[in-house]
Amino acid sequence: KQEVTQIPAALSVPEGENLVLNCSFTDSAIYNLQWFRQDPGKGLTSLLLIQSSQREQTSGRLNASLDKSSGRSTLYIAASQPGDSATYLCAVTGGGGKLIFGQGTELSVKP
Amino acid sequence: GAVVSQHPSWVICKSGTSVKIECRSLDFQATTMFWYRQFPKQSLMLMATSNEGSKATYEQGVEKDKFLINHASLTLSTLTVTSAHPEDSSFYICSARDSSSNTGELFFGEGSRLTVL
């Protein structure tokens, strides 16, 4: 059974700092991995999608890496801003097309 | 990007009543949609996979008779919480996969907050 773990559960940083969020998964037989952002009481916004054959994806200040063999992914946020404050969720697509989520990292960027 | 719309965004109902939540893919067709629920401060838990034209597949521990799923068209799936009780109060989120895309990317609705009194 696929399990997805995110570390840390919560993170508070001053504005401008670069930061890394971590995600690990137990079954390396994945189709893809997605990083999402969720604001309080809201739905999910897709940030980056990495196919199993890819090693990284970049979008603006965000960079996500994937090491399928070791079951790890990182989300790097450069020059963090208060508007980046949200919960970040990592999820992997495995057999049956199901998307399995980690518990999320709650990020707070202080002005 | 692809848009998934959920309705209603929030609903309050009395215990014992049934509530229907709609999930629509607005600009793409989705043969498969997924329903999740999320409790406060927790992650999303997959409830069921909704398949167009066939029965939904439920995850272990999810009562199929309580959470009725209908996927009658390529753009609409509905979740009906039957005989709702306070413990069913939660945030329900649907997602859909573009049938014509090979990326496997899932797009999510804005969620529906259910409060059962």
Side-chain angles (χ1 to χ4, degrees), chain A residues 6 31-32 34 36 38 41-46 49 51 89 93 96-104 106, chain B residues 32 34 36 38 41-44 46 49 57 59 91 93 97 102-111 113:
Chain A
Q6 290 185 246
Y31 185 64
N32 60 40
Q34 283 185 255
F36 295 89
Q38 185 177 32
K42 300 291 187 181
L44 274 65
T45 300
S46 179
L49 168 70
Q51 300 294 345
L89 294 158
T93 300
K98 300 177 186 179
L99 197 62
I100 305 300
F101 283 85
Q103 308 94 318
E106 189 174 352
Chain B
T32 303
F34 300 89
Y36 293 82
Q38 185 180 34
K41 297 291 186 180
Q42 295 188 24
S43 190
L44 280 74
L46 180 64
T49 302
T57 305
E59 295 300 300
F91 193 52
I93 307 178
R97 180 169 285 131
N102 61 1
T103 66
E105 185 172 7
L106 274 180
F107 300 96
F108 284 78
E110 278 296 305
R113 184 164 302 284

Side-chain angles (χ1 to χ4, degrees), chain B residues 3-63:
Chain B
V3 178
V4 175
S5 174
Q6 261 186 260
H7 178 81
S9 56
W10 59 270
V11 56
I12 301 173
C13 70
K14 293 182 178 180
S15 186
T17 60
S18 295
V19 175
K20 179 185 285 187
I21 301 170
E22 292 186 349
C23 177
R24 293 181 185 273
S25 55
L26 297 186
D27 50 0
F28 64 96
Q29 294 184 331
T31 54
T32 303
M33 293 184 176
F34 300 89
W35 286 95
Y36 293 82
R37 68 186 297 182
Q38 185 180 34
F39 292 107
K41 297 291 186 180
Q42 295 188 24
S43 190
L44 280 74
M45 297 301 296
L46 180 64
M47 298 176 65
T49 302
S50 173
N51 304 296
E52 187 267 336
S54 64
K55 292 182 179 180
T57 305
Y58 290 82
E59 295 300 300
Q60 190 173 10
V62 178
E63 299 175 59

Side-chain angles (χ1 to χ4, degrees), chain A:
Chain A
K1 179 186 175 184
Q2 178 74 271
E3 293 183 1
V4 182
T5 304
Q6 290 185 246
I7 296 173
L11 181 63
S12 181
V13 300
E15 181 177 6
E17 196 163 290
N18 302 325
L19 58 100
V20 175
L21 307 181
N22 296 291
C23 173
S24 62
F25 46 95
T26 55
D27 186 351
S28 62
I30 63 169
Y31 185 64
N32 60 40
L33 181 145
Q34 283 185 255
W35 281 94
F36 295 89
R37 169 188 173 135
Q38 185 177 32
D39 292 289
K42 300 291 187 181
L44 274 65
T45 300
S46 179
L47 298 174
L48 289 164
L49 168 70
I50 310 177
Q51 300 294 345
S52 62
S53 59
Q54 298 174 324
R55 293 194 65 84
E56 69 175 342
Q57 283 287 331
T58 298
S59 176
R61 293 183 293 110
L62 305 179
N63 176 276
S65 69
L66 173 64
D67 184 342
K68 202 174 77 162
S69 60
S70 67
R72 297 176 188 274
S73 174
T74 61
L75 178 66
Y76 175 82
I77 302 177
S80 59
Q81 303 170 358
D84 294 331
S85 298
T87 295
Y88 290 80
L89 294 158
C90 163
V92 298
T93 300
K98 300 177 186 179
L99 197 62
I100 305 300
F101 283 85
Q103 308 94 318
T105 293
E106 189 174 352
L107 173 64
S108 175
V109 181
K110 306 293 186 183

